[in-house]
Amino acid sequence: MNNDIERVLYSESQIQSRIAEIAKQIENDYADKQPVVISVLTGAILFTVDLLEKLDVYTTLDFIDVSSYFGGTESSGRVELVRDLKSDVKGKDILICEDIIDSGRTLQFLVDLLKKRGAKSIKVATMLDKPDGRDEAVTVEADYAGFTVPNEFLVGYGLDYDGFYRNLPYVGILKPAVYSK
Ligand code: IMP
Ligand code: MG
């Protein structure tokens, strides 16, 4: 699997130390709150776990699956709810955990949904932000972002290509030959 990677963008240690910085910010902002952390399946699970274990804050954890990618490297543009939350978010402070914000349509869909359900506050933490991919109709942005990345297709640390590479501890770019397989 590692042999399919052309270039590493962010190493495991770079990622972990950046998450520690973000955790400090979140700790300050949520010192007197008990947020519901909503992890967006499947890509955000590595980031969610690494962030949560560095956070000295009372949190609960829930998962949602909102998908707009169907196995390719380009977003389809449609967003659908694949699996819903277990918790009622009404009146709650929400911290959304994402792997990457690209077009931003997934995030827009989520924020709109949680607002409609009566969330008290909504903030967003993302490991990666790809601002060049942003859809012009999208109005939401991340409150905490690990790294701003170029407009390239990335894998690792939760990000997949066709379901694979999520378990790489770093973020990288695939060799072009992998796509033509
Ligand atoms: P958006 O709705 O276009 O912002 O896309 C968000 C979702 O698309 C992310 O949560 C990822 O699952 C996926 N995605 C976006 N860019 C990449 C990438 O470079 N590699 C792998 N998945 C990506
Ligand atoms: Mg995702």
Side-chain angles (χ1 to χ4, degrees):
M1 179 179 61
N2 279 279
N3 286 334
D4 292 349
I5 303 300
E6 173 147 292
R7 190 157 60 90
V8 174
L9 249 78
Y10 301 103
S11 69
E12 182 171 7
S13 64
Q14 283 177 300
I15 290 172
Q16 295 304 326
S17 52
R18 184 68 187 115
I19 294 175
E21 292 174 356
I22 294 175
K24 284 277 160 292
Q25 281 180 269
I26 294 176
E27 255 173 36
N28 286 332
D29 296 349
Y30 286 90
D32 52 1
K33 297 192 175 88
Q34 298 189 352
V36 181
V37 172
I38 296 182
S39 180
V40 186
L41 294 170
T42 302
I45 61 165
L46 278 77
F47 174 52
T48 305
V49 168
D50 287 337
L51 178 66
L52 280 188
E53 67 183 13
K54 293 178 178 69
L55 267 191
D56 186 9
V57 172
Y58 290 98
T59 66
T60 59
L61 176 60
D62 204 341
F63 296 92
I64 196 164
D65 197 350
V66 192
S67 170
S68 67
Y69 267 68
F70 298 99
T73 60
E74 297 273 323
S75 170
S76 67
R78 273 182 308 134
V79 180
E80 63 181 77
L81 187 58
V82 177
R83 181 157 42 189
D84 207 343
L85 298 165
K86 283 185 177 169
S87 19
D88 181 3
V89 300
K90 195 169 174 15
K92 297 283 174 61
D93 294 305
I94 305 296
L95 179 64
I96 296 173
C97 274
E98 257 290 25
D99 50 1
I100 186 166
I101 302 173
D102 182 8
S103 73
R105 286 188 287 253
T106 302
L107 187 61
Q108 185 79 58
F109 175 91
L110 270 172
V111 169
D112 291 346
L113 181 75
L114 297 173
K115 275 187 186 162
K116 206 164 59 193
R117 290 180 180 179
K120 181 178 170 196
S121 74
I122 303 168
K123 285 197 179 202
V124 180
T126 188
M127 189 60 229
L128 304 174
D129 189 9
K130 205 192 266 185
D132 292 344
R134 210 70 94 242
D135 186 310
E136 53 199 13
V138 167
T139 58
V140 293
E141 288 295 339
D143 299 279
Y144 314 95
F147 301 105
T148 301
V149 299
N151 203 359
E152 285 181 87
F153 192 76
L154 311 174
V155 294
Y157 199 67
L159 298 172
D160 72 302
Y161 172 63
D162 217 11
F164 294 111
Y165 307 104
R166 293 193 197 276
N167 53 319
L168 292 172
Y170 55 84
V171 173
I173 294 173
L174 285 172
K175 291 176 182 165
V178 176
Y179 298 112
S180 43
K181 264 186 207 166

